Amino acid sequence: MSALAFADPTFESQAAFRRIMRALSAPGTILACGEALAPPPPLARAAAATLLTLADFETPLWIAPSFPAAIGDYLAFHTGAPRAAAPDKAVFALVDLSADGLDLARFALGTAEYPDRSTTIVVQTASLDAGPRLRLTGPGVRGEARLAVASLPADFAAQWAEIRAGFPLGVDLVFAADARLAALPRSTAIIEGAR
Amino acid sequence: MSARPYNFAYLDEQTKRMIRRAILKAIAVPGYQVPFASREMPMPYGWGTGGVQVTAAIIGPDDVLKVIDQGADDTTNAVSIRAFFAKTADVATTTDTTEATIIQTRHRVPETPLTGDQILVYQVPIPEPLRFLEPRESETRTMHALAEYGVMHVKLYEDIARHGHIATTYAYPARVAGRYIMDPSPIPKFDNPKLDDCPALQLFGAGREKRIYAIPPFTRVVSLDFEDYPFERTKFDAVCEFCGATDSFLDEVVTDDKGGRMFVCSDTDYCEKRRAANKKDAAE
């Protein structure tokens, strides 16, 4: 059975949350999420599951322009989240890597006193297997972890390093490819150089 | 939907979402205290309302819950919180550390090493490690923003000047992932080394103070000290009267009014398992 949104919001959002939480506490780990959902295309199932689980009337949502209006209507109806006027006003943002690219500095990075007042970006991608493999280290990673994200901008590692220099300010990323997700919290460092 | 008088795990869905968002930020910024809209719970502040809210936001029907109070599964606080979730979330409960997927704790870390499939939820009375040095929240917030932690070292230095050693024995401050100084909650400093590089996710909830913070798995947690006065784990000159353990945190129990006393494991599950193993060895 597949449904537009969670058929049983209490238990399905709890299950999705545990996977999102695990993904953020073990950067680079790929987990299944949103398998039972059938959101309107082109929204990835894991992206839909993440926003259905976490967004509500308290969390302004910014949706990248590549997404059709139907996606905005769908998320507004099922989460009640208001639309953020600009990326740096958003608590959550939805971006499609292949169509929108990714400019991290456009989003809210939080403040020195309240680094939590930042944007969590749900980054939709075609695949978590293709593309250059990022080497990750930091909290949640034992030694070193790898993560491949298709269509990641060429300067992504440089952008990430620049944002990370301002830690604890930063953004947290949830990558969604169909019904799979992986996360990159701001605490993770990308190791430069050849794999 | 259902005829239950309240939602699964007591909290309503919007509250859970709000707490879940705070937990994710806490994981992304290890050791930083994320403010959250703590709810009034059907138990008084000081009884673990922060830990209960964190547990309620993460728990699912497949979880197995263990609750300890100062290491014991059978004290009032532990029993009532376990009963609360057995009733409101209909989850399985256990006293066996290895069987649990979520362990809510008041002031101890289990002696049995935790695994990556477990989550440890701490009940925290005062999350701000700088609070007794600087009472103003606006100031401590700035101090965290600037990583201006000299005053904490002054406090530890004053311990040495006054007592000849660092006299802080519980709620011993630690630095998480090289950035934030955190209060590990009033666990004995004996437990501090267990926080470092722990495979389990550690979540901290303070209900009255409305803060959530976290230590992700495999994160460096360093107890503060000085080169010439390094951090020392509490050592006991005694062994557990019941199981003979020499490696566990011991509680002193007064046995009469003539100065009689004995030492027993604070972690009841650890002690019971050791006693069972000793009995088996003796029988063989």
Side-chain angles (χ1 to χ4, degrees):
Chain A
M1 271 297 288
S2 59
L4 269 178
F6 292 138
D8 188 336
T10 297
F11 294 106
E12 288 181 67
S13 64
Q14 187 273 335
F17 170 72
R18 282 290 280 272
R19 291 170 193 186
I20 299 164
M21 181 167 79
R22 187 164 190 101
L24 267 158
S25 45
T29 307
I30 298 173
L31 295 157
C33 190
E35 307 98 298
L37 291 176
L43 187 61
R45 291 186 281 174
T50 303
L51 291 170
L52 292 174
T53 299
L54 297 173
D56 61 23
F57 69 94
E58 289 187 321
T59 60
L61 169 67
W62 185 80
I63 302 175
S66 77
F67 285 93
I71 299 300
D73 295 343
Y74 164 83
L75 290 170
F77 179 79
H78 288 288
T79 68
R83 286 289 278 275
D88 64 351
K89 300 280 185 288
V91 171
F92 291 103
L94 175 64
V95 169
D96 188 337
L97 265 191
S98 57
D100 302 303
L102 187 58
D103 181 358
L104 298 175
R106 293 178 70 198
F107 297 91
L109 305 177
T111 65
E113 286 79 13
Y114 294 95
D116 54 306
R117 295 181 182 172
S118 60
T119 309
T120 298
I121 313 172
V122 179
V123 183
Q124 189 166 313
T125 179
S127 163
L128 290 172
D129 302 307
R133 287 208 290 175
L134 304 171
R135 298 168 59 202
L136 312 177
T137 186
V141 179
R142 190 176 208 179
E144 188 180 314
R146 304 282 171 95
L147 178 64
V149 180
S151 314
L152 212 54
D155 68 343
F156 179 77
Q159 282 192 47
W160 191 256
E162 195 175 326
I163 299 269
R164 248 191 70 76
F167 184 89
L169 274 62
V171 290
D172 308 311
L173 309 183
V174 177
F175 293 108
D178 192 18
R180 302 203 301 160
L181 63 76
L184 204 54
R186 70 190 76 176
S187 57
T188 301
I190 296 174
I191 305 170
E192 298 281 358
R195 54 198 154 115
Chain B
M1 286 260 295
S2 71
R4 297 177 66 100
Y6 38 73
N7 194 27
F8 175 80
Y10 187 77
L11 294 175
D12 60 279
E13 289 304 303
Q14 197 274 328
T15 297
K16 286 189 205 166
R17 270 195 302 275
M18 174 271 297
I19 294 173
R20 286 167 183 169
R21 291 193 294 260
I23 290 172
L24 297 183
K25 297 283 189 193
I27 291 168
V29 190
Y32 166 69
Q33 302 162 48
V34 184
F36 81 110
S38 179
R39 301 295 197 244
E40 204 164 326
M41 299 301 286
M43 60 190 76
Y45 286 139
W47 282 67
T49 53
V52 166
Q53 289 180 79
V54 169
T55 300
I58 65 175
I59 203 164
D62 300 331
D63 278 311
V64 180
L65 179 70
K66 171 181 165 84
V67 184
I68 51 173
D69 173 3
Q70 304 265 18
D73 291 280
D74 54 0
T75 48
T76 312
N77 195 230
V79 170
S80 55
I81 290 173
R82 207 159 52 230
F84 176 77
F85 283 110
K87 182 174 181 182
T88 62
D90 199 24
V91 291
T93 60
T94 184
T95 58
D96 187 337
T97 303
T98 57
E99 275 178 12
T101 56
I102 298 174
I103 302 171
Q104 182 171 328
T105 175
R106 175 176 173 274
H107 309 356
R108 271 315 307 279
V109 179
E111 305 290 359
T112 309
L114 303 177
T115 70
D117 296 323
Q118 296 177 309
I119 300 169
L120 189 58
V121 178
Y122 294 77
Q123 301 171 198
V124 182
I126 299 178
E128 179 49 74
L130 305 168
R131 183 59 70 231
F132 291 111
L133 308 170
E134 170 51 66
R136 287 168 297 178
E137 167 68 15
S138 56
E139 280 302 307
T140 53
R141 190 157 284 281
T142 308
M143 290 159 81
H144 281 294
L146 300 174
E148 190 191 294
Y149 293 131
V151 65
M152 186 57 92
H153 275 102
V154 171
K155 193 248 174 209
L156 297 178
Y157 167 75
E158 282 178 350
D159 263 12
I160 294 167
R162 210 169 287 162
H163 307 287
H165 62 279
I166 297 177
T168 304
T169 53
Y170 67 97
Y172 193 102
R175 186 179 282 248
V176 185
R179 177 59 177 82
Y180 284 96
I181 285 186
M182 63 166 266
D183 183 334
S185 85
I187 58 171
K189 73 171 182 178
F190 177 88
D191 283 341
N192 267 38
K194 297 179 192 163
L195 272 57
D196 180 42
D197 205 34
C198 176
L201 172 64
Q202 302 175 77
L203 301 173
F204 298 77
R208 181 185 51 218
E209 303 291 322
K210 303 173 175 58
R211 296 289 185 274
I212 288 172
Y213 50 109
I215 305 173
F218 305 116
T219 297
R220 194 97 180 88
V221 180
V222 180
S223 302
L224 300 187
D225 61 1
F226 298 98
E227 274 176 23
D228 48 349
Y229 285 88
F231 174 82
E232 274 178 25
R233 202 175 186 185
T234 310
K235 291 190 198 79
F236 295 93
D237 296 328
V239 297
C240 174
E241 194 86 16
F242 294 154
C243 75
T246 53
D247 58 351
S248 75
F249 188 79
L250 301 176
D251 286 338
E252 185 178 355
V253 181
V254 175
T255 51
D256 54 35
D257 59 359
K258 298 178 182 66
R261 63 196 55 203
M262 64 175 185
F263 288 87
V264 296
C265 287
S266 136
D267 186 332
T268 52
D269 174 57
Y270 183 75
C271 195
E272 277 164 21
K273 280 206 190 116
R274 278 184 50 88
R275 276 144 72 188
N278 290 348
K279 218 171 175 178
K280 208 171 141 227
D281 284 350
E284 274 168 12

